[in-house]
Structures are given as C-alpha cells and as structure tokens.
C-alpha cells in the first residue's frame, strides 16, 4: 500500500477516477463492517474534544450532533448508532452528488484563493453561491493539511450537500433553532503519503475482511451556516475549543507512541512545516467557498467530461450519474507576458500566481456583498512547485 509515482493529469483519467472513487466509497460506507468502527472512533474523539471544551457531557453531545447536521435534542443510544446513521446518509448523499474534478493548475489557484479568506469573508457565504445543490470535488493530488488537533492528513476530496441545517441554542439557552447551512465532508486519500500505524492496522484488517479500502476515506463532517460570521464571544469560544482539541489530539498521539506506534509516518518527499495549517478548522469551507466563487467567474472554465460506454454501464449498474464536470484555469496573459520566454528557459525554480486580487463586491440587486477574485494566471514552468508564500501575499482583502 505504498505510494506510487503519479501519472500526468488528464481530464479523462481524472473523470474516470472520480466516477470509480464515488461508487467504491459509497459501497464501502454501506457494506464494510470496519467502516462503522472507524467512524465511531472518530466521533468519540470529536466528542472528547468538545467535552474537554464544555465539561458538560450533554452539551458536548448536542454540539457534536448539531455540527453533523442532526437534531441536537435527539438522544441516540450511543455513538455506534450515530455512526451508522452518518454512514447511511453519507453514502446516499455521495451517490446523488454532481462530480467535479480540478486540474492541477486550478487546484493551485483555489488553494491560494482559499488562504486569502477570513472568517468575516465566510460570513458572506449564501446558498446562491453553490454551483449545484450537492457535489463531490476530487483534487488532482492529496493536500497535506495539519488539522486543529495536530494530526496531519492527506485530503483528496471534499463533498457538500444542501439542504442541510445547523442548530444553535437560542438566547434563552434552553432551545435549539435550526438554521440553513451546507454540510461539508472531507475525505483523505487511502493510498496517500500519510501512513500512521493506526491507519495501516485498520487498512490491513479491512482487507482481511474482504473490503479493501477505496481511494477516499471519510475524515470529517461539519455543517456551515449560511450568511453568518462568528461574533467576538463566539470566536473566543472557538479558540478555547481549539486549545482543548489540541490537548486531546496530543494525548492520543502520546498514548500511541507509548505502545510503540508511529503516528507521524509520511512517505514521499514531505518536509515538516510545508503543510497547510488548518488552525481554525475552516480550511475545508474556505477551499469550497473559493472554488464556488471562482466557478461563478470567468477565471474557471467548466466543461463536461466525455462519457464512454463503460462509464455509462457502471453508472447505470450502481444507480448514479456518469456526468463529471472538469474545472480548469482560464489562463490570461498580456501580450508582453505571452511573448516572454523567461518562464520556460530553466531559470525559474517555482510557479506563482500573479495578478489575483480578492475584493468584496456589492450587488445592489441582491442587497449583499460577494467575494470576487480578479485575475489570476500562473507564471513559471509547469513542472515546478507552486510558491505558496508568494501566492498568499499576492492577494488583497
């Protein structure tokens, strides 16, 4: 189960991989015995972080259920029952999803745009920003993301679903009110570079039971309320929760290390400190919001992938659509830059995004602001790494 040398990206291969990943993942969530055990363990870990934050078991459970998009007033018999419901719903939502694949260049631009967004920017997110009610976007390669709890993950896909609701307690503190939201699920790459011992043991056992892991492995689910930015009190509470989550994560890693397990193993050319730091837990929704806004502009070019006979047969067999939308970057260069050969003459060691600016544009007809990105284009050789620091500094609020 080691990492393999990646092949050159093509829209046809990416579309094929997305179709196969969706079918295999939905089947695994429904049928694999260990899928529920894995999800239960993740729910328990999330509950422990919320319990360390609130120090109130009922409140911690309610907060977790609300974040998953369920009624916090329900009293499940245990986290096994919640995990079972989560997997049934997630498999069904995946099968109903519109599939998207990003080209490597488009993915680079979305990352840069996502890192420019603030929590206040996320407060502008509205239902109208979504290009489709539901979607699964497959990335061209795993993204190395450091989670709030300190764990390193190799994110490979993001899934969204509407309608959904996120419940918050009313001012009286005794009742919960559901608010319109989008449900976002993140998926790790089962065959990506992050290989902790606990995962390898899980993968081996699942294979022995006759269920080899699909490409995508469910990591987290979180509902994000539309048109809502946290106030000062809520931000303070979030900071307290993040601190508790880091403590729980560190305690888990310490316990694993005490039994001789290596939870920090990463294969390939990974250098510590080069990952995306998801310190506030909002990178997933930042990435999707940036993706959605770029799709609404001429920066992104979206086109349907060809559907061959084999793809149509497989989709029909599993009751899903074979349609895949390929999202690529519309490259825009001035005549002087188009005629320049300096990006390909071997002198440049990186690629970077230039002329991309983030602004809040007022739309009088809709009585609201929207995030607009002006630009961008990529400069530098296609085979060189993206210069992340310069990308972030090239954006303005």
């Amino acid at each position: 189960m080691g990492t393999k040398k990646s092949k050159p990206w093509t829209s046809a291969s990416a579309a094929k991989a997305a179709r196969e990943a969706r079918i295999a993942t939905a089947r695994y969530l429904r049928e694999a015995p260990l899928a529920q055990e894995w999800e239960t363990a993740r729910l328990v870990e999330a509950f422990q972080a919320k319990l360390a934050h609130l120090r109130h078991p009922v409140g911690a459970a309610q907060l977790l259920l609300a974040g998953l998009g369920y009624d916090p007033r329900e009293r499940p018999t245990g986290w096994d029952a919640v995990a079972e419901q989560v997997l049934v719903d997630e498999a069904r939502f995946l099968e109903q999803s519109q599939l998207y694949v990003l080209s490597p260049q488009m993915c680079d631009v979305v990352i840069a745009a996502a890192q420019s967004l603030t929590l206040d920017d996320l407060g502008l997110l509205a239902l109208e920003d979504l290009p489709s009610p539901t979607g699964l976007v497959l990335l061209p390669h795993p993204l190395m993301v450091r989670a709030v709890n300190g764990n390193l993950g190799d994110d490979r896909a993001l899934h969204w679903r509407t309608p959904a609701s996120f419940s918050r307690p009313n001012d009286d503190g005794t009742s919960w009110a559901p608010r319109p939201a989008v449900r976002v699920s993140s998926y790790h790459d089962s065959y990506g570079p992050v290989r902790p011992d606990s995962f390898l043991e899980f993968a081996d056992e699942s294979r022995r039971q006759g269920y080899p892991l699909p490409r995508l492995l469910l990591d987290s689910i979180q509902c994000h309320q539309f048109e809502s930015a946290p106030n000062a009190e809520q931000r303070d509470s979030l900071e307290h929760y993040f601190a508790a989550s880091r403590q729980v994560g560190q305690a888990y890693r310490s316990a694993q290390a005490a039994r001789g397990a290596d939870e920090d193993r990463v294969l390939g050319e990974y250098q510590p400190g080069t990952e995306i730091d998801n310190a506030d837990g909002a990178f997933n929704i930042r990435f999707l919001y940036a993706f959605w806004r770029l799709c609404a502009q001429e920066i992104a070019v979206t086109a349907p992938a060809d559907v061959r006979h084999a793809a149509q047969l497989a989709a029909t067999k599993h009751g899903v659509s074979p349609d895949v939308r390929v999202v690529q970057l519309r490259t825009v260069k001035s005549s002087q830059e188009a005629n320049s050969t300096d990006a390909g003459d071997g002198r440049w060691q990186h690629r970077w995004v230039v002329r991309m600016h983030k602004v809040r544009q007022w739309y009088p007809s809709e009585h609201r602001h929207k995030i607009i990105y002006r630009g961008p284009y990529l400069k530098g050789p296609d085979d060189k790494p993206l210069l992340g620091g310069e990308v972030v500094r090239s954006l303005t609020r």
Side-chain angles (χ1 to χ4, degrees):
M1 293 189 59
T3 57
K4 298 179 180 179
K5 186 176 181 180
S6 59
K7 298 180 180 179
W9 185 92
T10 66
S11 59
S13 62
K16 181 175 183 290
R19 296 185 187 105
E20 293 175 349
R22 190 253 297 273
I23 291 172
T25 302
R27 180 188 176 194
Y28 186 84
L29 294 178
R30 277 203 178 95
E31 299 178 5
L34 279 185
Q36 184 171 333
E37 292 185 28
W38 180 262
E39 182 60 24
T40 299
R42 301 192 78 79
L43 289 173
V44 170
E45 183 179 356
F47 171 72
Q48 292 298 330
K50 287 175 170 53
L51 181 60
H53 167 52
L54 295 178
R55 302 192 182 281
H56 187 278
V58 174
Q62 289 178 323
L63 189 60
L64 179 52
L65 289 173
L68 294 171
Y70 298 118
D71 189 341
R73 297 167 299 181
E74 294 181 358
R75 293 292 184 269
T77 56
W79 292 118
D80 284 338
V82 177
E84 181 179 7
Q85 185 64 55
V86 166
L87 298 186
V88 168
D89 290 341
E90 188 68 14
R92 176 166 52 90
F93 296 159
L94 276 180
E95 291 172 340
Q96 297 170 351
S97 294
Q98 170 64 56
L99 293 181
Y100 297 82
V101 295
L102 299 185
S103 70
Q105 293 82 6
M106 190 65 208
C107 186
D108 288 341
V109 170
V110 176
I111 294 171
Q115 291 176 319
S116 76
L117 294 173
T118 66
L119 291 178
D120 288 333
D121 292 333
L122 294 179
L124 301 177
L125 170 62
L127 176 62
E128 293 74 20
D129 291 314
L130 277 60
S132 58
T134 186
L136 175 68
V137 55
L138 192 72
L139 310 183
H141 52 76
L143 298 186
M144 305 296 286
V145 179
R146 182 73 64 180
V148 171
N149 62 7
N151 292 339
L152 184 65
D154 40 16
D155 294 3
R156 191 59 188 270
L158 291 169
H159 172 248
W160 74 87
R161 165 78 182 188
T162 58
S165 64
F166 176 70
S167 296
R168 282 184 173 176
N170 288 324
D171 293 337
D172 59 13
T174 60
S175 59
W176 294 73
R179 294 167 170 83
V182 56
R183 169 174 157 144
V184 173
S185 308
S186 66
Y187 285 82
H188 285 164
D189 190 329
S190 298
Y191 301 91
V194 180
R195 321 297 288 169
D197 280 342
S198 58
F199 168 78
L200 294 178
E201 292 168 2
F202 163 73
D204 288 343
E205 179 59 27
S206 191
R207 189 187 307 108
R208 281 194 293 270
Q209 294 183 9
Y211 293 91
L213 294 184
R215 168 62 67 180
L216 305 179
L217 183 65
L218 180 61
D219 175 44
S220 66
I221 299 174
Q222 182 65 52
C223 287
H224 299 270
Q225 183 180 340
F226 290 124
E227 298 182 88
S228 176
N231 57 34
E233 182 180 353
Q234 290 168 338
R235 294 186 191 213
D236 288 342
S237 179
L238 282 173
E239 287 298 327
H240 186 271
Y241 166 69
F242 296 151
S245 183
R246 286 190 289 270
Q247 290 177 356
V248 170
Q250 183 56 53
Y252 169 78
R253 289 189 295 276
S254 297
Q256 291 293 90
R259 73 178 184 91
D262 182 358
E263 292 298 286
D264 297 318
R265 183 187 299 104
V266 181
L267 303 180
E269 299 177 356
Y270 166 72
Q271 296 180 355
T274 60
E275 68 273 356
I276 295 169
D277 185 11
N278 190 18
D280 63 0
F283 176 74
N284 291 341
I285 190 61
R286 280 192 175 97
F287 186 95
L288 285 178
Y289 188 31
F291 168 63
W292 296 332
R293 294 305 305 140
L294 291 168
C295 282
Q297 301 176 236
E298 293 185 355
I299 294 171
V301 180
T302 303
D306 292 337
V307 181
R308 297 185 177 181
H309 183 63
Q312 183 65 64
L313 287 178
T316 301
K317 177 181 178 181
H318 294 278
V320 298
S321 170
D323 296 336
V324 180
R325 297 178 186 177
V326 182
V327 187
Q328 302 191 63
L329 176 67
R330 185 192 300 276
T331 303
V332 180
K333 298 183 180 180
S334 69
S335 58
Q336 179 180 358
E337 289 154 345
N339 294 329
S340 173
T341 60
D342 61 357
D345 64 3
R347 292 185 295 149
W348 303 107
Q349 300 302 313
H350 297 88
R351 288 177 299 144
W352 64 98
V353 179
V354 294
R355 292 187 180 178
M356 181 162 68
H357 303 280
K358 181 197 74 177
V359 297
R360 289 182 169 215
Q361 181 71 43
W362 174 252
Y363 285 74
S365 61
E366 300 182 32
H367 302 287
R368 70 184 185 99
H369 285 92
K370 293 183 181 180
I371 295 295
I372 295 294
Y373 291 101
R374 292 175 178 161
Y377 69 85
L378 291 177
K379 191 170 183 180
D382 289 340
D383 61 345
K384 299 299 181 182
L386 187 73
L387 191 61
E390 290 300 319
V391 170
V392 176
R393 288 195 290 272
S394 72
L395 301 174
T396 59
R397 294 182 181 180

